[in-house]
């Protein structure tokens, strides 16, 4: 998470603000209801078609925040310490399914409208809320959500990823990449920390899945690519972060294979975990 210095006007508490309802562009008849909005607290709920997302985000210091969120009764708690560059979150070994993921995406769209699409001016607790909703909304359906701790102290990388000698790199669209592996249930980690990709250029994406081992592909990614390939978050708009290798891997795996029921024996679970810190702490819109 990137701490943003705000002017006095931006930090003025909205004292005595009445609960408000707003409609996200994708929300239809759904409503976002804000029950508290001050320079230290932001809470409310989003309801649509019987689905409900409730949230409470609090700024507890200059660069610290806490969050409690429930989506259709599934709880999450999270905390962020910008001084120590660490974050923790806990999904209490629950799971999110298609209706939960859709509710989170629609809540994120409604929050985007509430904030006028201006993600970079959010206070620390608001940014924390938006980034966590973005990450959880991208979870493979049915994936167990455990307790996790993130070390955010490693400096971001800016070196170009290259394939090991002798490894086949498939060009984007090569049909052989669909069946290129032969080793089933082999998962290989390719965690890069936060490592930015080049803007509007081909970058090396890696992923493995239930039908093939670790696979290397040359993929066009960046702001001008199809649906902002490589950007952490869904698509190009509000709630997304930077363009990184781990998010490129997650995007490519998700577009080819879809979801997961276990991070170690099905589709895209390990790519999802490797992108956790990228969603959390990469600079919005950054690529090289």
């Amino acid at each position: 998470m990137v701490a943003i210095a705000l002017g006095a006007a931006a930090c003025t508490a909205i004292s005595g603000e009445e609960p408000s309802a707003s409609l996200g562009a994708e929300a239809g008849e759904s409503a976002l209801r804000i029950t508290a909005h001050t320079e230290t607290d932001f809470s409310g709920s989003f309801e649509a078609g019987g689905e409900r997302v409730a949230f409470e985000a609090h700024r507890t210091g200059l660069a610290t925040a806490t969050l409690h969120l429930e989506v259709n009764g599934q709880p999450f708690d999270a905390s962020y310490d910008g001084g120590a560059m660490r974050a923790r979150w806990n999904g209490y070994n629950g799971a999110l399914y298609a209706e939960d993921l859709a509710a989170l995406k629609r809540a994120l769209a409604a929050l985007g409208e509430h904030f006028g699409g201006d993600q970079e001016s959010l206070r620390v607790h608001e940014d924390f809320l938006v980034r966590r909703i973005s990450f959880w909304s991208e979870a493979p359906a049915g994936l167990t959500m455990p307790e996790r701790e993130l070390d955010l102290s490693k400096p971001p990388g800016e070196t170009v990823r290259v394939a090991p000698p002798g490894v086949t790199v498939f060009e984007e669209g090569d049909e052989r990449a669909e069946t290129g592996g032969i080793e089933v249930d082999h998962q290989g980690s390719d965690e890069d920390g936060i490592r930015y990709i080049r803007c509007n250029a081909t970058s090396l994406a890696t992923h493995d899945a239930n039908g093939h081992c670790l696979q290397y592909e040359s993929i066009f990614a960046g702001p001008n690519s199809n649906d902002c390939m490589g950007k952490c978050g869904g698509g190009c708009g509000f709630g997304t972060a930077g363009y990184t290798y781990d998010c490129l891997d997650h995007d490519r795996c998700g577009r080819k294979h879809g979801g997961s029921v276990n991070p170690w024996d099905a589709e895209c679970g390990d790519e999802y975990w490797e992108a956790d810190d990228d969603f959390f702490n990469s600079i919005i819109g950054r690529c090289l």
Side-chain angles (χ1 to χ4, degrees):
M1 181 177 301
V2 180
I4 301 171
L6 300 176
C11 289
T12 302
I14 307 176
S15 58
E17 181 182 22
E18 293 295 323
S20 63
S22 61
L23 298 179
E26 302 174 11
E29 296 301 318
S30 57
L32 174 69
R33 185 167 296 277
I34 304 303
T35 55
H37 190 180
T38 72
E39 63 182 39
T40 58
D41 301 289
F42 184 65
S43 62
S45 62
F46 173 86
E47 298 188 47
E51 311 296 336
R52 187 172 192 270
V53 178
F55 53 86
E56 295 181 12
H58 306 284
R59 191 181 78 184
T60 55
L62 184 62
T64 58
T66 61
L67 167 65
H68 177 75
L69 180 141
E70 294 186 14
V71 52
N72 296 328
Q74 165 60 39
F76 291 88
D77 285 293
S79 61
Y80 168 69
D81 186 336
M85 293 302 291
R86 303 194 76 84
R88 299 176 65 93
W89 66 267
N90 196 347
Y92 301 99
N93 292 319
L96 298 172
Y97 296 93
E99 62 275 14
D100 308 314
L101 301 172
L104 286 171
K105 290 180 186 297
R106 297 175 77 184
L108 187 62
L111 284 169
E113 181 169 296
H114 176 79
F115 288 116
D118 184 7
Q119 188 178 346
E120 295 186 73
S121 296
L122 298 183
R123 303 176 179 98
V124 62
H125 57 299
E126 297 164 345
D127 184 59
F128 187 33
L129 168 68
V130 166
R131 287 178 184 250
R132 287 295 83 192
I133 290 180
S134 177
F135 178 69
W136 291 326
S137 75
E138 293 292 308
L143 181 67
T144 299
M145 308 299 278
E147 183 175 12
R148 286 175 60 83
E149 182 169 354
L150 303 178
D151 180 358
L152 306 172
S153 62
K154 182 180 178 180
E158 297 185 350
T159 57
V160 174
R161 179 194 279 173
V162 296
V167 168
T168 299
V169 177
F170 295 102
E171 296 298 322
E172 188 169 1
D174 190 327
E175 292 183 359
R176 294 175 300 167
E178 301 300 323
T179 57
I182 57 174
E183 189 173 348
V184 177
D185 291 338
H186 170 76
Q187 296 286 334
S189 175
D190 203 11
E191 164 65 72
D192 282 292
I194 297 175
R195 187 178 179 190
Y196 295 103
I197 63 174
R198 293 176 295 170
C199 298
N200 304 321
T202 56
S203 292
L204 190 66
T206 68
H207 78 276
D208 46 18
N210 207 28
H212 63 78
C213 52
L214 196 64
Q215 190 172 86
Y216 294 78
E217 295 177 90
S218 180
I219 302 294
F220 181 75
N224 292 343
S225 65
N226 180 31
D227 210 21
C228 293
M229 193 74 167
K231 196 173 191 184
C232 301
C236 304
F238 185 84
T240 55
Y243 292 86
T244 73
Y245 279 103
D246 286 333
C247 287
L248 175 63
D249 297 343
H250 176 250
D251 278 353
R252 184 58 177 161
C253 185
R255 293 187 192 188
K256 290 185 68 173
H257 301 292
S260 169
V261 294
N262 185 296
W264 305 115
D265 67 3
E267 319 296 0
C268 307
D270 56 333
E271 286 80 10
Y272 178 70
W273 294 132
E274 289 163 10
D276 194 352
D277 55 342
D278 302 64
F279 273 76
F280 206 108
N281 209 43
S282 63
I283 298 172
I284 297 169
R286 178 170 173 75
C287 51
L288 302 180

